[in-house]
């Protein structure tokens, strides 16, 4: 991990996840099966997986994926970006209502914001439901972006692919594996809808920030 001092329709549309309906075996009802893939709520995440614990987000340790974060001197994370080859994945997690998802509404706001900045965005049905694909102008020239949203129980994950993975989902590779294995720990406290859920550095990395280190590796994150 590298850090510096410096933000669909339904949850996966539940199409490829386990059904929400109770399964009946020999006439008896059983609990819903665990989801086939993430992002997972912490209450349903599979055991036995090595993850980088950033508080509200736990990122699976995938070989060749570099985790880069920007954090303030107190170790509070402002941005999380995963990098693999020519592709990157920026992650954010936000509070949501108990009763409904917010990705559809957030997606429309992103589309309008891009339009106001002179960039057209196209809605495309992807692995997790409706995505936004856009090409924006940056200091480095035109950049392709792919916005993915996943609604969970009282949370929403926003994932933004850049580079090759923005135009070709098959190129996401290990980055997609990270998103599929992501775990969200929402906590129980009440939070305003859309408020970013708190992210923090692991203690070892936070100590290095307090000591004045600009960048440093963290074991097991690459």
């Amino acid at each position: 991990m590298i850090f510096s001092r410096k933000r669909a329709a339904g949850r996966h549309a539940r199409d490829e996840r386990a059904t929400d309906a109770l399964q009946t075996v020999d006439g008896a009802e059983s609990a819903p099966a665990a989801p086939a893939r993430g992002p997972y709520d912490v209450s349903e995440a599979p055991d036995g997986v090595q993850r980088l614990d950033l508080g509200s987000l736990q990122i699976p340790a995938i070989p060749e994926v570099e985790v880069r974060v920007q954090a303030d001197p107190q170790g509070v994370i402002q941005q999380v970006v995963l990098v693999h080859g020519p592709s990157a994945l920026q992650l954010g997690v936000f509070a949501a209502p108990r009763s409904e998802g917010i990705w559809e509404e957030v997606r429309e706001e992103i589309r309008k914001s891009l339009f106001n900045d002179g960039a057209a965005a196209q809605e495309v049905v992807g692995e997790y439901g409706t995505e936004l694909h856009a090409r924006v102008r940056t200091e480095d020239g035109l950049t392709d972006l792919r916005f993915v949203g996943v609604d969970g129980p009282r949370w929403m994950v926003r994932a933004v692919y850049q580079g090759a993975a923005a135009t070709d989902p098959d190129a996401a590779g290990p980055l997609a594996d990270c998103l599929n294995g992501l775990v969200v720990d929402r906590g129980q406290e009440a939070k305003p809808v859309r408020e970013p859920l708190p992210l923090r550095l692991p203690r070892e990395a936070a100590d290095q920030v307090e000591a004045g280190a600009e960048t440093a590796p963290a074991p097991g994150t690459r």
Side-chain angles (χ1 to χ4, degrees):
M1 180 181 73
I2 291 180
F3 63 83
S4 60
R5 290 176 179 268
K6 317 273 171 230
R7 169 183 181 310
R11 190 180 178 202
H12 306 183
R14 287 286 182 178
D15 51 354
E16 296 182 9
R17 297 169 62 88
T19 178
D20 285 331
L22 293 177
Q23 305 298 315
T24 302
V25 180
D26 295 331
E29 290 186 341
S30 61
R37 65 173 183 184
Y40 301 97
D41 188 74
V42 68
S43 65
E44 58 191 11
D47 296 326
V49 179
Q50 182 182 3
R51 303 182 182 96
L52 175 64
D53 188 352
L54 299 180
S56 295
L57 284 181
Q58 298 174 20
I59 302 171
I62 303 293
E64 300 181 1
V65 172
E66 182 180 23
V67 181
R68 299 177 181 176
V69 303
Q70 290 184 335
D72 64 20
Q74 286 70 48
V76 177
I77 295 174
Q78 310 299 322
Q79 181 173 277
V80 180
V81 179
L82 314 185
V83 179
H84 178 262
S87 298
L89 176 62
Q90 182 179 0
L91 296 173
V93 61
F94 305 88
R98 184 185 301 274
S99 57
E100 60 184 358
I102 60 174
W103 170 236
E104 183 176 357
E105 183 178 327
V106 169
R107 186 176 70 245
E108 177 60 16
E109 292 182 358
I110 294 173
R111 188 193 65 77
K112 290 180 178 178
S113 177
L114 290 168
F115 179 81
N116 291 337
D117 290 337
Q122 179 183 10
E123 290 194 342
V124 177
V125 177
E127 187 178 12
Y128 292 95
T130 305
E131 305 175 348
L132 274 184
H133 295 197
R135 178 170 291 179
V136 300
R137 188 172 299 279
T138 67
E139 295 179 355
D140 299 324
L142 292 175
T143 299
D144 290 302
L145 301 175
R146 178 161 62 97
F147 296 83
V148 178
V150 183
D151 287 312
R154 301 175 67 215
W155 51 260
M156 183 200 75
V157 168
R158 185 191 63 199
V160 186
Y161 284 100
Q162 303 176 44
T167 55
D168 180 11
D170 290 337
L175 294 179
D177 292 339
C178 287
L179 183 58
N180 290 342
L182 197 67
V183 175
V184 178
D185 188 351
R186 163 66 173 77
Q188 299 302 316
E189 64 275 18
K191 292 183 179 297
V193 173
R194 302 197 193 189
E195 177 176 299
L197 298 182
L199 300 173
R200 53 167 173 72
L201 290 172
R203 172 44 52 191
E204 178 183 349
D207 289 344
Q208 293 176 9
V209 170
E210 293 174 0
E214 288 295 326
T215 62
T221 62
R222 186 175 178 180

